[in-house]
Amino acid sequence: MSATVKPIQEAAVQQYAKQLRLPTLGGQFARLAGEAAKEKQSHLSYLEALLEAEVEERDRKSVARRIQEACFPSAKTLEEFDFQIVPHISAALMRNLSEGGYLARKEPIIFLGETDPATFCTSLLHN
């Protein structure tokens, strides 16, 4: 491929991705194409990786948008939770539940305790 054709094709792909509202595809196609060529992947494997990247980014942005729209006072993750403050909560059990296997097994999960975040935080600190 000549040196002038490649930039023109890349610009065209970026423009198509923009028109189709596929920003991740437009931003990652060249890098993923290079990786695919280096690893001798098929066209189908390359396309799958490209579309997977687009879907993953959309999912990530969707979750971030929902969290922002929920107006939570702050974002908390299980990794940030200090299980030493509340030793009656099993860290291993909580991590296991976070994987969601109970959903596939259709098992009910019930959490009992304070529902007011201020009271919950206060009770955590004083126990």
mmCIF file with all atom_site columns, all heavy atoms in Angstrom, residues 16-42:
data_model
loop_
_atom_site.group_PDB
_atom_site.id
_atom_site.type_symbol
_atom_site.label_atom_id
_atom_site.label_alt_id
_atom_site.label_comp_id
_atom_site.label_asym_id
_atom_site.label_entity_id
_atom_site.label_seq_id
_atom_site.pdbx_PDB_ins_code
_atom_site.Cartn_x
_atom_site.Cartn_y
_atom_site.Cartn_z
_atom_site.occupancy
_atom_site.B_iso_or_equiv
_atom_site.pdbx_formal_charge
_atom_site.auth_seq_id
_atom_site.auth_comp_id
_atom_site.auth_asym_id
_atom_site.auth_atom_id
_atom_site.pdbx_PDB_model_num
ATOM 1   N N   . TYR A 1 16 ? -16.282 7.792   8.813  1.00 0.00 ? 16 TYR A N   1
ATOM 2   C CA  . TYR A 1 16 ? -17.413 6.860   8.854  1.00 0.00 ? 16 TYR A CA  1
ATOM 3   C C   . TYR A 1 16 ? -17.785 6.533   10.306 1.00 0.00 ? 16 TYR A C   1
ATOM 4   O O   . TYR A 1 16 ? -18.966 6.480   10.665 1.00 0.00 ? 16 TYR A O   1
ATOM 5   C CB  . TYR A 1 16 ? -17.107 5.571   8.100  1.00 0.00 ? 16 TYR A CB  1
ATOM 6   C CG  . TYR A 1 16 ? -17.052 5.726   6.598  1.00 0.00 ? 16 TYR A CG  1
ATOM 7   C CD1 . TYR A 1 16 ? -16.067 5.088   5.855  1.00 0.00 ? 16 TYR A CD1 1
ATOM 8   C CD2 . TYR A 1 16 ? -17.989 6.497   5.917  1.00 0.00 ? 16 TYR A CD2 1
ATOM 9   C CE1 . TYR A 1 16 ? -16.011 5.224   4.475  1.00 0.00 ? 16 TYR A CE1 1
ATOM 10  C CE2 . TYR A 1 16 ? -17.946 6.630   4.545  1.00 0.00 ? 16 TYR A CE2 1
ATOM 11  C CZ  . TYR A 1 16 ? -16.949 5.995   3.820  1.00 0.00 ? 16 TYR A CZ  1
ATOM 12  O OH  . TYR A 1 16 ? -16.911 6.125   2.462  1.00 0.00 ? 16 TYR A OH  1
ATOM 13  N N   . ALA A 1 17 ? -16.773 6.298   11.129 1.00 0.00 ? 17 ALA A N   1
ATOM 14  C CA  . ALA A 1 17 ? -17.026 5.990   12.536 1.00 0.00 ? 17 ALA A CA  1
ATOM 15  C C   . ALA A 1 17 ? -17.728 7.161   13.219 1.00 0.00 ? 17 ALA A C   1
ATOM 16  O O   . ALA A 1 17 ? -18.642 6.960   14.024 1.00 0.00 ? 17 ALA A O   1
ATOM 17  C CB  . ALA A 1 17 ? -15.715 5.665   13.247 1.00 0.00 ? 17 ALA A CB  1
ATOM 18  N N   . LYS A 1 18 ? -17.333 8.360   12.864 1.00 0.00 ? 18 LYS A N   1
ATOM 19  C CA  . LYS A 1 18 ? -17.975 9.549   13.440 1.00 0.00 ? 18 LYS A CA  1
ATOM 20  C C   . LYS A 1 18 ? -19.430 9.637   12.997 1.00 0.00 ? 18 LYS A C   1
ATOM 21  O O   . LYS A 1 18 ? -20.322 9.896   13.808 1.00 0.00 ? 18 LYS A O   1
ATOM 22  C CB  . LYS A 1 18 ? -17.207 10.799  13.027 1.00 0.00 ? 18 LYS A CB  1
ATOM 23  C CG  . LYS A 1 18 ? -17.727 12.068  13.660 1.00 0.00 ? 18 LYS A CG  1
ATOM 24  C CD  . LYS A 1 18 ? -16.875 13.258  13.273 1.00 0.00 ? 18 LYS A CD  1
ATOM 25  C CE  . LYS A 1 18 ? -17.422 14.535  13.901 1.00 0.00 ? 18 LYS A CE  1
ATOM 26  N NZ  . LYS A 1 18 ? -16.598 15.694  13.582 1.00 0.00 ? 18 LYS A NZ  1
ATOM 27  N N   . GLN A 1 19 ? -19.687 9.425   11.713 1.00 0.00 ? 19 GLN A N   1
ATOM 28  C CA  . GLN A 1 19 ? -21.054 9.479   11.192 1.00 0.00 ? 19 GLN A CA  1
ATOM 29  C C   . GLN A 1 19 ? -21.936 8.400   11.812 1.00 0.00 ? 19 GLN A C   1
ATOM 30  O O   . GLN A 1 19 ? -23.124 8.626   12.052 1.00 0.00 ? 19 GLN A O   1
ATOM 31  C CB  . GLN A 1 19 ? -21.054 9.322   9.662  1.00 0.00 ? 19 GLN A CB  1
ATOM 32  C CG  . GLN A 1 19 ? -20.611 10.566  8.931  1.00 0.00 ? 19 GLN A CG  1
ATOM 33  C CD  . GLN A 1 19 ? -20.642 10.346  7.428  1.00 0.00 ? 19 GLN A CD  1
ATOM 34  O OE1 . GLN A 1 19 ? -19.921 9.490   6.894  1.00 0.00 ? 19 GLN A OE1 1
ATOM 35  N NE2 . GLN A 1 19 ? -21.475 11.104  6.745  1.00 0.00 ? 19 GLN A NE2 1
ATOM 36  N N   . LEU A 1 20 ? -21.363 7.236   12.055 1.00 0.00 ? 20 LEU A N   1
ATOM 37  C CA  . LEU A 1 20 ? -22.111 6.126   12.637 1.00 0.00 ? 20 LEU A CA  1
ATOM 38  C C   . LEU A 1 20 ? -22.157 6.190   14.168 1.00 0.00 ? 20 LEU A C   1
ATOM 39  O O   . LEU A 1 20 ? -22.731 5.312   14.805 1.00 0.00 ? 20 LEU A O   1
ATOM 40  C CB  . LEU A 1 20 ? -21.500 4.790   12.197 1.00 0.00 ? 20 LEU A CB  1
ATOM 41  C CG  . LEU A 1 20 ? -21.647 4.468   10.722 1.00 0.00 ? 20 LEU A CG  1
ATOM 42  C CD1 . LEU A 1 20 ? -20.790 3.258   10.352 1.00 0.00 ? 20 LEU A CD1 1
ATOM 43  C CD2 . LEU A 1 20 ? -23.102 4.214   10.374 1.00 0.00 ? 20 LEU A CD2 1
ATOM 44  N N   . ARG A 1 21 ? -21.550 7.221   14.711 1.00 0.00 ? 21 ARG A N   1
ATOM 45  C CA  . ARG A 1 21 ? -21.475 7.406   16.172 1.00 0.00 ? 21 ARG A CA  1
ATOM 46  C C   . ARG A 1 21 ? -20.812 6.196   16.846 1.00 0.00 ? 21 ARG A C   1
ATOM 47  O O   . ARG A 1 21 ? -21.358 5.604   17.784 1.00 0.00 ? 21 ARG A O   1
ATOM 48  C CB  . ARG A 1 21 ? -22.851 7.685   16.747 1.00 0.00 ? 21 ARG A CB  1
ATOM 49  C CG  . ARG A 1 21 ? -23.409 9.022   16.287 1.00 0.00 ? 21 ARG A CG  1
ATOM 50  C CD  . ARG A 1 21 ? -24.771 9.304   16.915 1.00 0.00 ? 21 ARG A CD  1
ATOM 51  N NE  . ARG A 1 21 ? -25.272 10.602  16.528 1.00 0.00 ? 21 ARG A NE  1
ATOM 52  C CZ  . ARG A 1 21 ? -25.999 10.858  15.452 1.00 0.00 ? 21 ARG A CZ  1
ATOM 53  N NH1 . ARG A 1 21 ? -26.290 9.882   14.609 1.00 0.00 ? 21 ARG A NH1 1
ATOM 54  N NH2 . ARG A 1 21 ? -26.426 12.072  15.186 1.00 0.00 ? 21 ARG A NH2 1
ATOM 55  N N   . LEU A 1 22 ? -19.635 5.868   16.349 1.00 0.00 ? 22 LEU A N   1
ATOM 56  C CA  . LEU A 1 22 ? -18.816 4.786   16.898 1.00 0.00 ? 22 LEU A CA  1
ATOM 57  C C   . LEU A 1 22 ? -17.445 5.357   17.281 1.00 0.00 ? 22 LEU A C   1
ATOM 58  O O   . LEU A 1 22 ? -16.433 5.065   16.646 1.00 0.00 ? 22 LEU A O   1
ATOM 59  C CB  . LEU A 1 22 ? -18.660 3.651   15.878 1.00 0.00 ? 22 LEU A CB  1
ATOM 60  C CG  . LEU A 1 22 ? -19.944 2.970   15.408 1.00 0.00 ? 22 LEU A CG  1
ATOM 61  C CD1 . LEU A 1 22 ? -19.681 2.069   14.221 1.00 0.00 ? 22 LEU A CD1 1
ATOM 62  C CD2 . LEU A 1 22 ? -20.569 2.192   16.554 1.00 0.00 ? 22 LEU A CD2 1
ATOM 63  N N   . PRO A 1 23 ? -17.405 6.185   18.328 1.00 0.00 ? 23 PRO A N   1
ATOM 64  C CA  . PRO A 1 23 ? -16.158 6.882   18.645 1.00 0.00 ? 23 PRO A CA  1
ATOM 65  C C   . PRO A 1 23 ? -15.002 5.970   19.035 1.00 0.00 ? 23 PRO A C   1
ATOM 66  O O   . PRO A 1 23 ? -13.853 6.244   18.681 1.00 0.00 ? 23 PRO A O   1
ATOM 67  C CB  . PRO A 1 23 ? -16.546 7.799   19.803 1.00 0.00 ? 23 PRO A CB  1
ATOM 68  C CG  . PRO A 1 23 ? -17.742 7.162   20.414 1.00 0.00 ? 23 PRO A CG  1
ATOM 69  C CD  . PRO A 1 23 ? -18.463 6.496   19.277 1.00 0.00 ? 23 PRO A CD  1
ATOM 70  N N   . THR A 1 24 ? -15.277 4.903   19.750 1.00 0.00 ? 24 THR A N   1
ATOM 71  C CA  . THR A 1 24 ? -14.203 3.999   20.155 1.00 0.00 ? 24 THR A CA  1
ATOM 72  C C   . THR A 1 24 ? -13.627 3.293   18.941 1.00 0.00 ? 24 THR A C   1
ATOM 73  O O   . THR A 1 24 ? -12.405 3.149   18.820 1.00 0.00 ? 24 THR A O   1
ATOM 74  C CB  . THR A 1 24 ? -14.715 2.984   21.191 1.00 0.00 ? 24 THR A CB  1
ATOM 75  O OG1 . THR A 1 24 ? -15.287 3.706   22.281 1.00 0.00 ? 24 THR A OG1 1
ATOM 76  C CG2 . THR A 1 24 ? -13.611 2.099   21.690 1.00 0.00 ? 24 THR A CG2 1
ATOM 77  N N   . LEU A 1 25 ? -14.489 2.865   18.049 1.00 0.00 ? 25 LEU A N   1
ATOM 78  C CA  . LEU A 1 25 ? -14.032 2.246   16.814 1.00 0.00 ? 25 LEU A CA  1
ATOM 79  C C   . LEU A 1 25 ? -13.116 3.214   16.063 1.00 0.00 ? 25 LEU A C   1
ATOM 80  O O   . LEU A 1 25 ? -12.037 2.828   15.618 1.00 0.00 ? 25 LEU A O   1
ATOM 81  C CB  . LEU A 1 25 ? -15.232 1.855   15.951 1.00 0.00 ? 25 LEU A CB  1
ATOM 82  C CG  . LEU A 1 25 ? -14.945 1.067   14.690 1.00 0.00 ? 25 LEU A CG  1
ATOM 83  C CD1 . LEU A 1 25 ? -16.061 0.079   14.444 1.00 0.00 ? 25 LEU A CD1 1
ATOM 84  C CD2 . LEU A 1 25 ? -14.788 1.957   13.494 1.00 0.00 ? 25 LEU A CD2 1
ATOM 85  N N   . GLY A 1 26 ? -13.534 4.459   15.941 1.00 0.00 ? 26 GLY A N   1
ATOM 86  C CA  . GLY A 1 26 ? -12.737 5.455   15.237 1.00 0.00 ? 26 GLY A CA  1
ATOM 87  C C   . GLY A 1 26 ? -11.401 5.716   15.900 1.00 0.00 ? 26 GLY A C   1
ATOM 88  O O   . GLY A 1 26 ? -10.400 5.995   15.240 1.00 0.00 ? 26 GLY A O   1
ATOM 89  N N   . GLY A 1 27 ? -11.372 5.607   17.223 1.00 0.00 ? 27 GLY A N   1
ATOM 90  C CA  . GLY A 1 27 ? -10.141 5.884   17.949 1.00 0.00 ? 27 GLY A CA  1
ATOM 91  C C   . GLY A 1 27 ? -9.201  4.702   18.065 1.00 0.00 ? 27 GLY A C   1
ATOM 92  O O   . GLY A 1 27 ? -8.008  4.891   18.289 1.00 0.00 ? 27 GLY A O   1
ATOM 93  N N   . GLN A 1 28 ? -9.713  3.488   17.905 1.00 0.00 ? 28 GLN A N   1
ATOM 94  C CA  . GLN A 1 28 ? -8.878  2.311   18.148 1.00 0.00 ? 28 GLN A CA  1
ATOM 95  C C   . GLN A 1 28 ? -8.630  1.428   16.934 1.00 0.00 ? 28 GLN A C   1
ATOM 96  O O   . GLN A 1 28 ? -7.846  0.485   17.009 1.00 0.00 ? 28 GLN A O   1
ATOM 97  C CB  . GLN A 1 28 ? -9.495  1.467   19.263 1.00 0.00 ? 28 GLN A CB  1
ATOM 98  C CG  . GLN A 1 28 ? -9.489  2.158   20.600 1.00 0.00 ? 28 GLN A CG  1
ATOM 99  C CD  . GLN A 1 28 ? -9.875  1.223   21.724 1.00 0.00 ? 28 GLN A CD  1
ATOM 100 O OE1 . GLN A 1 28 ? -9.850  0.006   21.581 1.00 0.00 ? 28 GLN A OE1 1
ATOM 101 N NE2 . GLN A 1 28 ? -10.229 1.787   22.857 1.00 0.00 ? 28 GLN A NE2 1
ATOM 102 N N   . PHE A 1 29 ? -9.276  1.713   15.820 1.00 0.00 ? 29 PHE A N   1
ATOM 103 C CA  . PHE A 1 29 ? -9.153  0.794   14.684 1.00 0.00 ? 29 PHE A CA  1
ATOM 104 C C   . PHE A 1 29 ? -7.718  0.640   14.197 1.00 0.00 ? 29 PHE A C   1
ATOM 105 O O   . PHE A 1 29 ? -7.293  -0.458  13.849 1.00 0.00 ? 29 PHE A O   1
ATOM 106 C CB  . PHE A 1 29 ? -10.074 1.218   13.519 1.00 0.00 ? 29 PHE A CB  1
ATOM 107 C CG  . PHE A 1 29 ? -9.557  2.360   12.702 1.00 0.00 ? 29 PHE A CG  1
ATOM 108 C CD1 . PHE A 1 29 ? -8.785  2.128   11.582 1.00 0.00 ? 29 PHE A CD1 1
ATOM 109 C CD2 . PHE A 1 29 ? -9.833  3.665   13.079 1.00 0.00 ? 29 PHE A CD2 1
ATOM 110 C CE1 . PHE A 1 29 ? -8.301  3.190   10.830 1.00 0.00 ? 29 PHE A CE1 1
ATOM 111 C CE2 . PHE A 1 29 ? -9.357  4.724   12.338 1.00 0.00 ? 29 PHE A CE2 1
ATOM 112 C CZ  . PHE A 1 29 ? -8.585  4.489   11.215 1.00 0.00 ? 29 PHE A CZ  1
ATOM 113 N N   . ALA A 1 30 ? -6.952  1.731   14.161 1.00 0.00 ? 30 ALA A N   1
ATOM 114 C CA  . ALA A 1 30 ? -5.579  1.657   13.639 1.00 0.00 ? 30 ALA A CA  1
ATOM 115 C C   . ALA A 1 30 ? -4.694  0.817   14.565 1.00 0.00 ? 30 ALA A C   1
ATOM 116 O O   . ALA A 1 30 ? -3.928  -0.043  14.100 1.00 0.00 ? 30 ALA A O   1
ATOM 117 C CB  . ALA A 1 30 ? -5.009  3.054   13.457 1.00 0.00 ? 30 ALA A CB  1
ATOM 118 N N   . ARG A 1 31 ? -4.801  1.047   15.875 1.00 0.00 ? 31 ARG A N   1
ATOM 119 C CA  . ARG A 1 31 ? -4.001  0.288   16.830 1.00 0.00 ? 31 ARG A CA  1
ATOM 120 C C   . ARG A 1 31 ? -4.365  -1.196  16.775 1.00 0.00 ? 31 ARG A C   1
ATOM 121 O O   . ARG A 1 31 ? -3.490  -2.063  16.716 1.00 0.00 ? 31 ARG A O   1
ATOM 122 C CB  . ARG A 1 31 ? -4.213  0.824   18.251 1.00 0.00 ? 31 ARG A CB  1
ATOM 123 C CG  . ARG A 1 31 ? -3.419  0.066   19.316 1.00 0.00 ? 31 ARG A CG  1
ATOM 124 C CD  . ARG A 1 31 ? -3.722  0.562   20.721 1.00 0.00 ? 31 ARG A CD  1
ATOM 125 N NE  . ARG A 1 31 ? -5.106  0.429   21.105 1.00 0.00 ? 31 ARG A NE  1
ATOM 126 C CZ  . ARG A 1 31 ? -5.676  -0.698  21.531 1.00 0.00 ? 31 ARG A CZ  1
ATOM 127 N NH1 . ARG A 1 31 ? -4.973  -1.814  21.584 1.00 0.00 ? 31 ARG A NH1 1
ATOM 128 N NH2 . ARG A 1 31 ? -6.952  -0.719  21.878 1.00 0.00 ? 31 ARG A NH2 1
ATOM 129 N N   . LEU A 1 32 ? -5.670  -1.482  16.778 1.00 0.00 ? 32 LEU A N   1
ATOM 130 C CA  . LEU A 1 32 ? -6.101  -2.874  16.730 1.00 0.00 ? 32 LEU A CA  1
ATOM 131 C C   . LEU A 1 32 ? -5.753  -3.536  15.402 1.00 0.00 ? 32 LEU A C   1
ATOM 132 O O   . LEU A 1 32 ? -5.464  -4.734  15.352 1.00 0.00 ? 32 LEU A O   1
ATOM 133 C CB  . LEU A 1 32 ? -7.604  -2.981  17.011 1.00 0.00 ? 32 LEU A CB  1
ATOM 134 C CG  . LEU A 1 32 ? -8.025  -2.676  18.451 1.00 0.00 ? 32 LEU A CG  1
ATOM 135 C CD1 . LEU A 1 32 ? -9.539  -2.664  18.579 1.00 0.00 ? 32 LEU A CD1 1
ATOM 136 C CD2 . LEU A 1 32 ? -7.400  -3.654  19.431 1.00 0.00 ? 32 LEU A CD2 1
ATOM 137 N N   . ALA A 1 33 ? -5.744  -2.775  14.319 1.00 0.00 ? 33 ALA A N   1
ATOM 138 C CA  . ALA A 1 33 ? -5.346  -3.322  13.010 1.00 0.00 ? 33 ALA A CA  1
ATOM 139 C C   . ALA A 1 33 ? -3.872  -3.712  13.034 1.00 0.00 ? 33 ALA A C   1
ATOM 140 O O   . ALA A 1 33 ? -3.485  -4.764  12.500 1.00 0.00 ? 33 ALA A O   1
ATOM 141 C CB  . ALA A 1 33 ? -5.618  -2.307  11.908 1.00 0.00 ? 33 ALA A CB  1
ATOM 142 N N   . GLY A 1 34 ? -3.067  -2.864  13.667 1.00 0.00 ? 34 GLY A N   1
ATOM 143 C CA  . GLY A 1 34 ? -1.638  -3.176  13.792 1.00 0.00 ? 34 GLY A CA  1
ATOM 144 C C   . GLY A 1 34 ? -1.412  -4.437  14.604 1.00 0.00 ? 34 GLY A C   1
ATOM 145 O O   . GLY A 1 34 ? -0.595  -5.293  14.234 1.00 0.00 ? 34 GLY A O   1
ATOM 146 N N   . GLU A 1 35 ? -2.141  -4.552  15.721 1.00 0.00 ? 35 GLU A N   1
ATOM 147 C CA  . GLU A 1 35 ? -2.030  -5.752  16.550 1.00 0.00 ? 35 GLU A CA  1
ATOM 148 C C   . GLU A 1 35 ? -2.508  -6.987  15.793 1.00 0.00 ? 35 GLU A C   1
ATOM 149 O O   . GLU A 1 35 ? -1.890  -8.047  15.873 1.00 0.00 ? 35 GLU A O   1
ATOM 150 C CB  . GLU A 1 35 ? -2.856  -5.596  17.827 1.00 0.00 ? 35 GLU A CB  1
ATOM 151 C CG  . GLU A 1 35 ? -2.288  -4.609  18.811 1.00 0.00 ? 35 GLU A CG  1
ATOM 152 C CD  . GLU A 1 35 ? -3.186  -4.402  20.021 1.00 0.00 ? 35 GLU A CD  1
ATOM 153 O OE1 . GLU A 1 35 ? -4.133  -5.201  20.219 1.00 0.00 ? 35 GLU A OE1 1
ATOM 154 O OE2 . GLU A 1 35 ? -2.945  -3.435  20.767 1.00 0.00 ? 35 GLU A OE2 1
ATOM 155 N N   . ALA A 1 36 ? -3.594  -6.848  15.053 1.00 0.00 ? 36 ALA A N   1
ATOM 156 C CA  . ALA A 1 36 ? -4.135  -7.977  14.295 1.00 0.00 ? 36 ALA A CA  1
ATOM 157 C C   . ALA A 1 36 ? -3.145  -8.434  13.232 1.00 0.00 ? 36 ALA A C   1
ATOM 158 O O   . ALA A 1 36 ? -2.961  -9.640  13.024 1.00 0.00 ? 36 ALA A O   1
ATOM 159 C CB  . ALA A 1 36 ? -5.466  -7.594  13.659 1.00 0.00 ? 36 ALA A CB  1
ATOM 160 N N   . ALA A 1 37 ? -2.516  -7.491  12.553 1.00 0.00 ? 37 ALA A N   1
ATOM 161 C CA  . ALA A 1 37 ? -1.540  -7.842  11.523 1.00 0.00 ? 37 ALA A CA  1
ATOM 162 C C   . ALA A 1 37 ? -0.329  -8.537  12.147 1.00 0.00 ? 37 ALA A C   1
ATOM 163 O O   . ALA A 1 37 ? 0.166   -9.539  11.620 1.00 0.00 ? 37 ALA A O   1
ATOM 164 C CB  . ALA A 1 37 ? -1.106  -6.597  10.763 1.00 0.00 ? 37 ALA A CB  1
ATOM 165 N N   . LYS A 1 38 ? 0.127   -8.006  13.283 1.00 0.00 ? 38 LYS A N   1
ATOM 166 C CA  . LYS A 1 38 ? 1.297   -8.572  13.960 1.00 0.00 ? 38 LYS A CA  1
ATOM 167 C C   . LYS A 1 38 ? 1.014   -9.999  14.435 1.00 0.00 ? 38 LYS A C   1
ATOM 168 O O   . LYS A 1 38 ? 1.871   -10.864 14.353 1.00 0.00 ? 38 LYS A O   1
ATOM 169 C CB  . LYS A 1 38 ? 1.666   -7.695  15.162 1.00 0.00 ? 38 LYS A CB  1
ATOM 170 C CG  . LYS A 1 38 ? 3.013   -8.014  15.774 1.00 0.00 ? 38 LYS A CG  1
ATOM 171 C CD  . LYS A 1 38 ? 3.310   -7.169  17.011 1.00 0.00 ? 38 LYS A CD  1
ATOM 172 C CE  . LYS A 1 38 ? 3.220   -5.702  16.706 1.00 0.00 ? 38 LYS A CE  1
ATOM 173 N NZ  . LYS A 1 38 ? 3.515   -4.851  17.881 1.00 0.00 ? 38 LYS A NZ  1
ATOM 174 N N   . GLU A 1 39 ? -0.218  -10.238 14.915 1.00 0.00 ? 39 GLU A N   1
ATOM 175 C CA  . GLU A 1 39 ? -0.589  -11.550 15.427 1.00 0.00 ? 39 GLU A CA  1
ATOM 176 C C   . GLU A 1 39 ? -1.202  -12.452 14.355 1.00 0.00 ? 39 GLU A C   1
ATOM 177 O O   . GLU A 1 39 ? -1.666  -13.548 14.658 1.00 0.00 ? 39 GLU A O   1
ATOM 178 C CB  . GLU A 1 39 ? -1.571  -11.384 16.591 1.00 0.00 ? 39 GLU A CB  1
ATOM 179 C CG  . GLU A 1 39 ? -0.968  -10.673 17.784 1.00 0.00 ? 39 GLU A CG  1
ATOM 180 C CD  . GLU A 1 39 ? -1.985  -10.346 18.859 1.00 0.00 ? 39 GLU A CD  1
ATOM 181 O OE1 . GLU A 1 39 ? -3.125  -10.870 18.786 1.00 0.00 ? 39 GLU A OE1 1
ATOM 182 O OE2 . GLU A 1 39 ? -1.647  -9.567  19.764 1.00 0.00 ? 39 GLU A OE2 1
ATOM 183 N N   . LYS A 1 40 ? -1.234  -11.958 13.124 1.00 0.00 ? 40 LYS A N   1
ATOM 184 C CA  . LYS A 1 40 ? -1.789  -12.696 11.989 1.00 0.00 ? 40 LYS A CA  1
ATOM 185 C C   . LYS A 1 40 ? -3.222  -13.168 12.257 1.00 0.00 ? 40 LYS A C   1
ATOM 186 O O   . LYS A 1 40 ? -3.592  -14.305 11.976 1.00 0.00 ? 40 LYS A O   1
ATOM 187 C CB  . LYS A 1 40 ? -0.886  -13.861 11.601 1.00 0.00 ? 40 LYS A CB  1
ATOM 188 C CG  . LYS A 1 40 ? 0.505   -13.440 11.178 1.00 0.00 ? 40 LYS A CG  1
ATOM 189 C CD  . LYS A 1 40 ? 1.260   -14.575 10.562 1.00 0.00 ? 40 LYS A CD  1
ATOM 190 C CE  . LYS A 1 40 ? 2.693   -14.286 10.243 1.00 0.00 ? 40 LYS A CE  1
ATOM 191 N NZ  . LYS A 1 40 ? 3.048   -13.053 9.642  1.00 0.00 ? 40 LYS A NZ  1
ATOM 192 N N   . GLN A 1 41 ? -4.035  -12.244 12.796 1.00 0.00 ? 41 GLN A N   1
ATOM 193 C CA  . GLN A 1 41 ? -5.443  -12.540 13.060 1.00 0.00 ? 41 GLN A CA  1
ATOM 194 C C   . GLN A 1 41 ? -6.239  -12.435 11.765 1.00 0.00 ? 41 GLN A C   1
ATOM 195 O O   . GLN A 1 41 ? -5.865  -11.722 10.848 1.00 0.00 ? 41 GLN A O   1
ATOM 196 C CB  . GLN A 1 41 ? -6.023  -11.563 14.077 1.00 0.00 ? 41 GLN A CB  1
ATOM 197 C CG  . GLN A 1 41 ? -5.473  -11.699 15.473 1.00 0.00 ? 41 GLN A CG  1
ATOM 198 C CD  . GLN A 1 41 ? -6.095  -10.675 16.415 1.00 0.00 ? 41 GLN A CD  1
ATOM 199 O OE1 . GLN A 1 41 ? -6.736  -9.731  15.991 1.00 0.00 ? 41 GLN A OE1 1
ATOM 200 N NE2 . GLN A 1 41 ? -5.877  -10.868 17.704 1.00 0.00 ? 41 GLN A NE2 1
ATOM 201 N N   . SER A 1 42 ? -7.370  -13.102 11.754 1.00 0.00 ? 42 SER A N   1
ATOM 202 C CA  . SER A 1 42 ? -8.246  -13.010 10.593 1.00 0.00 ? 42 SER A CA  1
ATOM 203 C C   . SER A 1 42 ? -8.992  -11.685 10.621 1.00 0.00 ? 42 SER A C   1
ATOM 204 O O   . SER A 1 42 ? -9.029  -11.000 11.635 1.00 0.00 ? 42 SER A O   1
ATOM 205 C CB  . SER A 1 42 ? -9.262  -14.161 10.615 1.00 0.00 ? 42 SER A CB  1
ATOM 206 O OG  . SER A 1 42 ? -10.173 -13.983 11.686 1.00 0.00 ? 42 SER A OG  1
#
